[in-house]
Amino acid sequence: MTDSVTDSEPDPVEHPALAAYEARIRFPLDAFQRAACESLEEGRSVLVAAPTGAGKTAIAEFSVALARRERDARVFYTAPIKALSNQKFHEIAQEYGEDQVGLLTGDVNIRGDAPIVVMTTEVLRNMIYADSTALADLAFVILDEVHFLGDRFRGAVWEEIILHLPRHVRLVSLSATVSNAEEFGDWMHAIRGDTDVIVSEHRPVPLYQHVLTKRALLPLIVDREGELSTHGRLNPEVIRLGGHGGSSERGGRGGFDDRGRRGRGGRQRGHAPQRHSTGRISRADIVRALDETELTPAIVFIFSRNGCDQAVRQALYEGIRLTTREERDEIRDVAQAAVAELSDEDLAVLGYHEWLSGLERGIAAHHAGLIPVFKSVVETLFQRRLVKAVFATETLALGINMPARSVVIEQLEKFNGERRAPLTTGEYTQLTGRAGRRGIDTEGHAVVVWSDAVDPEALAHLASKRSTPMKSSFRPTYNMSVNLLDRVGITAARSLLEQSFAQFQADRSVVDIARQVRAAEESLAGYESSMHCELGDFLEYAKLRRDLESIERGETAVRGAGGRRGSGSDRRERVSQLRRQLQQHPCASCPDLRAHERWAGRWFGLKRTTEQQVREIRSRTGTIARTFDRVVDLLLERGYLSRAVTASGESESITVEPWGAVLRRVYGERDLLVAECLRRASWNGIDAAGLAALSCALTYEPRRDDENADPELPRGSFREAFAQTLTIWAELDDLEERHRLPRTQLPHAGLALAMHGWAKGDSLATTLERSDLGVGDFVRWSKQTIDLLDQIAQASLSVDAASPMAALARDAKLLVRRGIVEASSTS
């Protein structure tokens, strides 16, 4: 069901839970919010696609309230990044009380048995594969930022969750505006049952688009009278900029005067910012322009961590101050309380005093290179309107609650993981969606910094197009495959994969056929139960009877046509044999023989239809299942799985071997490599610090400049263990090439020396000097290292309850989780 929502009268149907919720929140719900909440109260799942800042969170909060009304019902709130999980945890705990809310993010485990648990999507996926008992009384799962399903690195996790969650769990899927929300909703409805799609294009706070030149803030879109507008035509003055290199001196009709008021053609006094060394307006001048036009608080997106830090330094150097004395005192109190547990030595390494100086002036950076506690303080101060301008990378746009009055985009291209590429419409919409605070601002403003590289027509198109389609990035991995096989078996695993959104997009009809196959398999199981005979295997008896009837029918047909069927004696011999087997079969004397035969007839008929459907699926596309089959073949070859054929010869059976059970517990890009190293005892003899460094090498992804570097390795037991790891990687690489599978990335020891030293007790200053990383990056890779060490411990225990490797991994984890890493684990 798909609803394109417009403002309308409330539904006359009674919704007591919704009425109670509205009475508590004391603000009227928009039409799309009401429609989604009504669907939830009526027992359906929802997919809500609406602009950033439209109020999708209210729907998530209603599902929490709805679960609280149901006795012993639990709700999980999932988010794509740990920072968002942490923020949601604090927000919900403030509403319902800390004892009612838990947090699970891999490195943090707080009240995991609480009625409301906030977690990252990976944690939920792992819980599903582990058949966690926590899923039994689960009523709702909130999938925040579900459009992240298209992310090529982590998007598959969303599909795994949607495919494998128990059917009794209702989904509250929240997405930014995407052009194919209905397609995604159709898929969810096909595999999970009643799912209503609620689409709203309405932005509660209108968004105006501008370009910032050296001399003026110009409207990008204007109406017929030349006034600033959300819809209309491209401003002629902006068109002229394309031919004059941004040298316009006029504010233009619909621009801003010196008090930030929209005028009707007056000049904008402002100042004349000097060009940045790259030919752009200086970042300090961007802040001045925003302040003078009263467009703060503002987020300035710079697609470089170093660029964000430099922007703050430049603003400090040029003496920008956006705060009052009272605000500075409040800022200092918040910051000092947040870092109270850090040592003076660590604070000095972190650049605390420079950071605090920026905060006190109302300016800060926000990016993954900062430690979590610094980012948390920036978010808190921005929400409280104490920090007025934040220079941020695009990670801030992923759902973190930092709404601004304006958003500035410094340039319209960024590195996409492989190369520099223009922003997509989805990325542009996600970034500018931060502008306009509902309940605070009457309008939001998106500003693009002018440069000679800006194409006005392309910019107008980017700003006017609301969304892009969501595309699946799903593919079977080794870990996913063994988990599927262990939980549901080979036939159901293929069926599930055929129902993935990736397959749905490849051939929508295949999903419908696969759903019919899945239903047929359930019916076949029912028929087998109905034909069950206490005396013997009735399916075996029925197969003998069908073989006999087939031969006899063939003989009759040949005789009727006057033809010849080869050796009659061989045929008769096969018939003196089948009849004898039937007469001697224990089921031949069953008193319920005729009833069982009727069920067997239905079984064979449906089985034939199902096999035809399976062949049709494989012939039409089946790309996901074929990849899965290649993964299974590789794992069979390596002994992680074994194959058997049923007595009747009807179908194959795949068994997960003990080392396959180890692979079930290892997640990540190098899952099979880790499992293989454990299996072959390649790391025996390594010490705890060496194992920490090795785990770091198995999770670390180097920067582009360091990919081909030859890093210095830690001395001692690490070197031999790492050499064996690389040997095994090379073997697996050949194996993957032969099986036509994506290749596992080569481990990289670029951070191993620094991690080894940190585990040995080196200071933060020494560690950062060795790593050549920012402290936030080091903390992030330390958490990844800890996560893998946890997996190694759990995997090792699955084959040996007294595993020395498990104990070693726990020791290594404790060595890494200290100081700034420990402090960041609870931020």
Side-chain angles (χ1 to χ4, degrees):
M1 174 181 173
T2 302
D3 293 329
S4 293
V5 179
T6 56
D7 292 331
S8 60
E9 292 297 318
D11 193 317
V13 178
E14 292 290 331
H15 294 94
L18 180 55
Y21 176 67
E22 282 195 281
R24 179 167 61 82
I25 60 176
R26 297 180 180 177
F27 63 82
L29 293 174
D30 288 347
F32 87 93
Q33 294 169 322
R34 177 177 297 279
C37 292
E38 288 175 352
S39 292
L40 289 172
E41 189 165 359
E42 291 166 10
R44 298 188 291 277
S45 295
V46 295
L47 166 65
V48 182
T52 302
K56 296 186 290 289
T57 301
I59 299 162
E61 291 171 351
F62 174 70
S63 69
V64 174
L66 199 58
R68 300 284 289 162
R69 290 171 65 94
E70 300 176 11
R71 186 175 180 182
D72 297 328
R74 304 182 73 201
V75 58
F76 289 171
Y77 194 122
T78 73
I81 56 175
K82 292 180 181 180
L84 183 54
S85 296
N86 292 335
Q87 189 176 79
K88 291 298 180 184
F89 167 68
H90 292 299
E91 290 175 1
I92 298 174
Q94 199 169 27
E95 176 71 24
Y96 291 98
E98 289 195 357
D99 61 322
Q100 297 296 301
V101 186
L103 176 66
L104 301 174
T105 61
D107 59 327
V108 176
N109 186 335
I110 302 174
R111 292 182 293 277
D113 58 350
I116 309 166
V117 185
V118 181
M119 62 185 67
T120 54
T121 44
E122 280 83 359
V123 168
L124 177 55
R125 187 270 313 273
N126 297 352
M127 291 173 69
I128 293 171
Y129 282 158
D131 291 321
S132 170
T133 56
L135 302 176
D137 54 358
L138 186 60
F140 293 98
V141 166
I142 300 160
L143 296 175
D144 204 356
E145 307 282 339
V146 74
H147 55 273
F148 208 78
L149 176 145
D151 181 79
R152 66 193 185 99
F153 298 108
R154 296 172 53 221
V157 176
W158 274 257
E159 282 190 63
E160 291 179 74
I161 290 171
I162 294 168
L163 284 168
H164 302 316
L165 264 178
R167 290 294 294 267
H168 71 270
V169 180
R170 279 177 280 167
L171 295 181
V172 183
S173 304
L174 307 179
S175 172
T177 48
V178 291
S179 60
N180 61 336
E182 289 81 5
E183 179 191 39
F184 185 59
D186 288 346
W187 171 70
M188 293 186 71
H189 184 85
I191 64 167
R192 297 204 61 85
D194 288 344
T195 301
D196 289 350
V197 180
I198 315 294
V199 178
S200 175
E201 294 289 346
H202 174 67
R203 234 189 100 94
V205 180
L207 181 65
Y208 294 98
Q209 309 278 344
H210 309 266
V211 292
L212 178 63
T213 73
K214 289 197 302 178
R215 300 182 183 278
L217 184 68
L218 298 175
L220 177 66
I221 305 297
V222 295
D223 59 20
R224 290 182 178 179
E225 287 73 37
E227 298 290 341
L228 181 64
S229 176
T230 56
H231 298 87
R233 62 192 176 98
L234 181 57
N235 186 353
E237 291 204 58
V238 176
I239 295 175
R240 285 195 291 272
L241 288 178
H244 293 86
S247 60
S248 173
E249 296 186 10
R250 295 178 55 235
R253 294 174 63 84
F256 283 77
D257 65 16
D258 57 322
R259 290 183 175 272
R261 300 174 299 206
R262 286 209 308 277
R264 290 187 54 84
R267 293 176 180 269
Q268 177 181 338
R269 185 188 67 187
H271 60 283
Q274 298 302 307
R275 279 186 176 269
H276 189 254
S277 59
T278 61
R280 296 183 179 275
I281 301 167
S282 81
R283 290 156 177 167
D285 283 334
I286 291 173
V287 176
R288 288 194 183 97
L290 294 170
D291 186 41
E292 290 177 2
T293 53
E294 298 182 5
L295 289 185
T296 60
I299 300 170
V300 181
F301 283 110
I302 299 173
F303 304 125
S304 157
R305 300 178 192 177
N306 189 44
C308 293
D309 294 333
Q310 287 180 347
V312 174
R313 294 191 191 101
Q314 186 182 44
L316 290 176
Y317 178 78
E318 298 197 15
I320 291 178
R321 187 184 300 279
L322 307 176
T323 54
T324 65
R325 178 175 297 176
E326 292 76 15
E327 288 174 330
R328 289 195 290 277
D329 291 340
E330 189 175 350
I331 288 167
R332 190 179 306 109
D333 290 342
V334 171
Q336 289 177 345
V339 302
E341 296 183 6
L342 298 177
S343 68
D344 290 341
E345 180 184 3
D346 283 351
L347 289 176
V349 173
L350 294 171
Y352 167 74
H353 296 290
E354 183 183 53
W355 174 72
L356 180 60
S357 179
L359 292 179
E360 289 180 348
R361 292 169 181 253
I363 302 166
H366 188 288
H367 54 73
L370 295 175
I371 61 169
V373 68
F374 277 20
K375 287 192 290 186
S376 179
V377 168
V378 171
E379 291 160 14
T380 298
L381 295 176
F382 194 84
Q383 290 165 22
R384 288 164 63 170
R385 305 181 220 173
L386 295 170
V387 164
K388 320 288 186 178
V390 170
F391 295 96
T393 55
E394 68 272 24
T395 54
L396 185 146
L398 284 175
I400 296 175
N401 184 23
M402 283 184 66
R405 187 173 187 214
S406 68
V407 162
V408 179
I409 299 179
E410 188 188 46
Q411 53 185 320
L412 295 174
E413 66 173 24
K414 71 180 185 70
F415 183 70
N416 65 4
E418 296 178 348
R419 58 186 175 82
R420 294 198 65 80
L423 291 182
T424 66
T425 54
E427 290 167 336
Y428 185 87
T429 301
Q430 184 84 9
L431 296 173
T432 57
R434 298 285 114 196
R437 300 162 296 176
R438 190 172 189 181
I440 302 173
D441 297 316
T442 57
E443 57 194 33
H445 299 271
V447 180
V448 171
V449 178
W450 180 261
S451 76
D452 294 344
V454 174
D455 178 346
E457 294 285 351
L459 174 57
H461 178 74
L462 195 66
S464 62
K465 193 174 179 182
R466 298 300 304 162
S467 59
T468 51
M470 187 183 347
K471 295 183 179 179
S472 173
S473 60
F474 183 83
R475 67 173 179 84
T477 64
Y478 301 114
N479 170 273
M480 181 198 302
S481 299
V482 292
N483 272 294
L484 275 174
L485 291 166
D486 188 69
R487 294 180 73 237
V488 301
I490 184 70
T491 303
R494 286 198 188 105
S495 178
L496 271 172
L497 292 170
E498 292 291 356
Q499 295 180 75
S500 68
F501 188 46
Q503 188 63 64
F504 186 84
Q505 290 189 306
D507 182 353
R508 290 188 62 167
S509 65
V510 165
V511 172
D512 293 328
I513 299 172
R515 184 157 44 90
Q516 293 171 25
V517 170
R518 194 172 187 183
E521 287 169 348
E522 294 176 0
S523 297
L524 287 170
Y527 293 165
E528 287 184 33
S529 177
S530 297
M531 75 170 94
H532 174 71
C533 180
E534 297 292 338
L535 301 179
D537 183 349
F538 195 82
L539 191 59
E540 181 182 65
Y541 175 86
K543 190 173 186 303
L544 289 171
R545 190 172 186 85
R546 286 177 67 83
D547 288 347
L548 176 61
E549 291 173 350
S550 176
I551 293 175
E552 289 177 335
R553 280 196 304 271
E555 182 69 19
T556 300
V558 169
R559 285 176 179 168
R564 304 181 61 182
R565 289 284 311 269
S567 172
S569 59
D570 290 344
R571 210 164 39 252
R572 286 192 296 273
E573 170 91 15
R574 177 61 179 153
V575 169
S576 334
Q577 185 182 16
L578 289 174
R579 284 176 177 167
R580 185 168 57 250
Q581 288 177 315
L582 278 171
Q583 292 168 356
Q584 295 175 351
H585 198 283
C587 291
S589 59
C590 178
D592 297 321
L593 179 64
R594 295 292 172 252
H596 289 167
E597 283 181 334
R598 285 195 297 273
W599 286 112
R602 295 178 185 178
W603 187 92
F604 280 110
L606 183 58
K607 180 69 172 175
R608 183 171 57 252
T609 301
T610 302
E611 288 174 345
Q612 289 173 346
Q613 289 175 320
V614 169
R615 286 194 293 271
E616 183 178 359
I617 288 172
R618 291 183 178 178
S619 66
R620 293 175 75 169
T621 50
T623 53
I624 302 298
R626 283 198 291 272
T627 300
F628 171 71
D629 288 340
R630 290 197 287 268
V631 169
V632 169
D633 287 342
L634 186 151
L635 294 176
L636 283 166
E637 182 176 333
R638 300 302 294 179
Y640 288 89
L641 306 172
S642 61
R643 191 197 308 268
V645 179
T646 61
S648 63
E650 283 296 314
S651 61
E652 66 178 358
S653 172
I654 300 292
T655 301
V656 177
E657 295 296 326
W659 283 102
V662 169
L663 182 55
R664 281 190 62 207
R665 292 165 173 80
V666 183
Y667 303 89
E669 293 295 315
R670 301 182 178 98
D671 48 5
L672 182 58
L673 176 59
V674 172
E676 191 75 355
C677 288
L678 290 173
R679 179 186 186 184
R680 291 160 68 166
S682 302
W683 301 339
N684 286 5
I686 200 170
D687 60 6
L691 185 59
L694 192 58
S695 297
C696 179
L698 287 162
T699 55
Y700 179 63
E701 302 292 342
R703 295 172 296 194
R704 283 175 296 156
D705 296 343
D706 298 332
E707 286 179 351
N708 299 317
D710 188 17
E712 182 182 355
L713 301 181
R715 297 184 181 278
S717 56
F718 171 88
R719 295 192 174 189
E720 176 60 28
F722 188 60
Q724 291 194 43
T725 302
L726 295 181
T727 299
I728 293 172
W729 171 84
E731 294 175 10
L732 292 180
D733 189 60
D734 291 340
L735 197 62
E736 288 168 335
E737 183 179 26
R738 180 155 51 84
H739 284 271
R740 293 175 295 142
L741 287 169
R743 316 279 274 279
T744 299
Q745 195 168 359
L746 179 70
H748 198 286
L751 191 55
L753 183 64
M755 188 61 69
H756 188 269
W758 175 256
K760 285 282 193 181
D762 281 353
S763 68
L764 180 61
T766 300
T767 301
L768 294 180
E769 185 177 351
R770 278 182 176 165
S771 70
D772 195 29
L773 291 177
V775 66
D777 288 316
F778 174 72
V779 168
R780 180 163 60 92
W781 291 119
S782 295
K783 289 183 177 183
Q784 296 283 342
T785 298
I786 289 170
D787 192 35
L788 179 55
L789 288 168
D790 266 333
Q791 294 175 37
I792 290 171
Q794 294 300 319
S796 299
L797 289 173
S798 70
V799 289
D800 180 2
S803 167
M805 182 57 66
L808 189 68
R810 287 193 293 265
D811 290 344
K813 173 184 170 180
L814 292 175
L815 294 178
V816 176
R817 188 167 176 162
R818 66 178 180 87
I820 192 64
V821 178
E822 171 68 18
S824 298
S825 295
T826 55
S827 299

